[in-house]
Amino acid sequence: MFAKSEKWIGNPPTPEVSKWVSRETEVLGWQKYLGELIAWAMQASLELGNEIEHASKWPGPLTWSEMTLHQRARSMRLFAIVKSTFASHARTSALINAFSEGISLASSNVDMNPGVQISNGFELIRQLTLEYSIRTRSEALTFRTALANRTFALSASETSPSSIVTDTIRRIDMNLHGIRSLLELYQRQ
C-alpha cells in the first residue's frame, strides 16, 4: 500500500519529544503523536489507520494468532515506523527495546514471547498508550487541579481586540478537551 502511493505520502510524523518534560506533557504528547500517526497512515490505507486507532484502545493483548497475514505485515511495518521515530528519545526507545525483548510494558506479571512480539506494532502501540496514559485517580486529580490553576492570557498574535473573549474561551475549551482526553484514557483502564 505504501509503495503505490509513496510519492504522495510525506514522512511519518515526528513527535516533539523535547517538550515531553513532565508527566502531563508526555501523556498529551503521546496522544498528539498517535492522532498524527493515524492521520498519516490513513493517507495510504484507511485500514491501517483504523487498526492503529483500535489497537491504542484495545482492552487486552493483541497477539499474532488473532491477526491475518496482511495484518501481521502491517503490524511489522508499524513497529519499524514507531521504533525509528523514537530512536532519539531515550525513555521511549528503552520501552520499545524492553518490549522487543519480551517484557510487557503494561503488566509485570504478563510473560510475552520475544520471538513473536519483536515486531508486533499493534501490541506496541497498545502498550505505549497504556504507559503514556493516566494511571491513578490521584494523577487524574493532579491534572484537573493544574487546569483549574492555569491563567489564560493570549498574546496579540493569537487574538484581536474584537475577539479576545471568544479566543480566550476557545483556549480554555482546548485545554479542557485535553484534560478530558486524559481522563477518558484513565477510565478505559
Side-chain angles (χ1 to χ4, degrees), residues 86-180:
F86 285 99
S88 63
H89 188 243
R91 181 167 189 265
T92 308
S93 184
L95 291 169
I96 293 169
N97 289 337
F99 176 84
S100 296
E101 294 296 323
I103 299 168
S104 175
L105 308 177
S107 173
S108 59
N109 35 342
V110 175
D111 195 25
M112 298 181 351
N113 179 351
V116 173
Q117 290 305 121
I118 194 165
S119 55
N120 188 341
F122 295 131
E123 179 62 11
L124 175 65
I125 289 289
R126 187 187 78 80
Q127 289 194 26
L128 285 174
T129 300
L130 290 172
E131 180 65 29
Y132 290 121
S133 297
I134 295 176
R135 295 186 197 155
T136 64
R137 184 175 191 273
S138 64
E139 189 175 29
L141 291 173
T142 301
F143 290 148
R144 188 182 78 174
T145 303
L147 175 66
N149 292 332
R150 284 196 182 129
T151 302
F152 296 95
L154 300 174
S155 68
S157 65
E158 295 175 304
T159 188
S160 67
S162 63
S163 64
I164 192 160
V165 173
T166 54
D167 290 339
T168 304
I169 291 170
R170 195 170 295 118
R171 171 69 63 86
I172 293 168
D173 283 344
M174 284 175 40
N175 279 266
L176 183 60
H177 176 72
I179 297 299
R180 280 190 184 138

Side-chain angles (χ1 to χ4, degrees), residues 71-91:
Q71 286 175 319
R72 289 178 187 179
R74 288 189 297 273
S75 183
M76 291 182 342
R77 182 178 291 270
L78 175 62
F79 183 89
I81 290 167
V82 173
K83 186 172 182 171
S84 66
T85 299
F86 285 99
S88 63
H89 188 243
R91 181 167 189 265

Side-chain angles (χ1 to χ4, degrees), residues 1-3 5-14 32-46 48-50 52 74 77-82 84-85:
M1 73 190 136
F2 283 95
S5 56
E6 205 170 83
K7 64 182 176 183
W8 306 109
I9 298 175
N11 292 328
T14 304
K32 181 181 177 194
Y33 168 72
L34 196 55
E36 291 171 354
L37 180 65
I38 291 167
W40 175 82
M42 287 215 179
Q43 293 178 60
S45 165
L46 293 176
L48 177 59
N50 284 327
I52 294 169
R74 288 189 297 273
R77 182 178 291 270
L78 175 62
F79 183 89
I81 290 167
V82 173
S84 66
T85 299

